[in-house]
Amino acid sequence: QIYARAAYYRDSGADIIDLGMSLDRQWLAEGPAIIAELKARGFTLSIDTLHPAEIRMADAAGVDYVLSLNSSNRFLAPELRATPILIPDSPSDLSSLDATIAELERAGKPYVLDPILSPIIFGFADSLARYHAVRAQYPNAEMMMGIGNLTELTEADTTGMTALMIGVCQELGIRNVLTTEVIPWARGVVRETAIARELMYFAQQQA
């Protein structure tokens, strides 16, 4: 089922398959074999956990990205082969993100920044401002936006929301997005995202 789901997302246009550490699996024991098989099938992978033991397991097994590092686990950075996604300790605490960035810079490690997109009514507008502020402060940094926090948690058709958020990403130079298809109204959103990125890139190039 894991391989079939990964293939479905890749066929839908996903470049990277994110492995969530679901609570009903023994990932420390099962993870290495699953990751190895997915890598053997040509998948680029990320791991979605803050737990140091799970990060070490996945990194050793060959994942390409780690979601995520903050002050609680950034001590792992020097030993990681995978590229980490850096997040603030809490969405509004950008100073903690700055501290984690400084730690990665001292270690000479690459990274991707994610200021965290908040759901509507739970700080969505403020989170857009965070992305704008982080881009202004770090104009050349790779960034990521978890647009699934909007499409999964807003009971509305996802096509328009996805187009809007990919447009925001295009304007801010955010080249990585994380999205999911868990809730029924979000089914197909990976394909929508893949199409929207091409449309928004084309629109910007033609402007």
Side-chain angles (χ1 to χ4, degrees):
Q1 290 178 342
I2 292 172
Y3 308 140
R5 179 62 60 179
Y8 162 74
Y9 287 136
R10 184 166 63 181
D11 291 345
S12 296
D15 299 303
I16 301 166
I17 303 301
D18 186 55
L19 298 173
M21 297 290 92
S22 48
L23 298 178
D24 59 344
R25 302 191 71 92
Q26 300 298 315
W27 273 100
L28 291 179
E30 299 178 43
I34 292 171
I35 291 167
E37 181 64 24
L38 287 168
K39 292 295 295 182
R41 298 184 187 206
F43 289 97
T44 302
L45 302 176
S46 61
I47 195 79
D48 199 340
T49 180
L50 290 168
H51 195 284
E54 292 177 340
I55 290 174
R56 283 188 169 115
M57 173 276 295
D59 187 64
V63 297
D64 303 277
Y65 297 89
V66 168
L67 284 69
S68 305
L69 296 189
N70 62 12
S71 68
S72 71
N73 59 8
R74 64 192 182 207
F75 64 88
L76 295 169
E79 67 187 74
L80 292 180
R81 180 199 49 78
T83 300
I85 313 303
L86 309 186
I87 61 173
D89 292 353
S90 64
S92 61
D93 185 8
L94 287 184
S95 63
S96 67
L97 179 61
D98 293 334
T100 299
I101 292 169
E103 189 79 13
L104 270 289
E105 291 284 352
R106 283 192 292 271
K109 294 286 189 175
Y111 54 81
V112 178
L113 304 181
D114 180 9
I116 303 179
L117 187 71
S118 299
I120 293 173
I121 307 302
F122 293 93
F124 173 66
D126 285 344
S127 68
L128 290 180
R130 283 197 302 273
Y131 278 91
H132 193 278
V134 169
R135 171 50 77 213
Q137 185 173 356
Y138 300 98
N140 299 316
E142 286 289 342
M143 292 181 66
M144 188 187 87
M145 181 183 286
I147 63 173
N149 284 353
L150 183 69
T151 53
E152 287 283 343
L153 300 175
T154 310
E155 191 173 353
D157 291 340
T158 57
T159 306
M161 288 189 291
T162 298
L164 175 64
M165 297 314 300
I166 295 299
V168 170
C169 289
Q170 191 67 45
E171 287 194 13
L172 293 178
I174 298 171
R175 305 198 310 155
N176 308 275
V177 297
L178 175 66
T179 195
T180 53
E181 297 190 6
V182 177
I183 206 75
W185 60 74
R187 302 290 161 75
V189 75
V190 172
R191 182 61 179 154
E192 292 169 3
T193 303
I195 295 171
R197 66 181 174 180
E198 296 180 357
L199 290 171
M200 293 303 171
Y201 176 79
F202 178 79
Q204 187 181 63
Q205 295 302 303
Q206 297 300 310

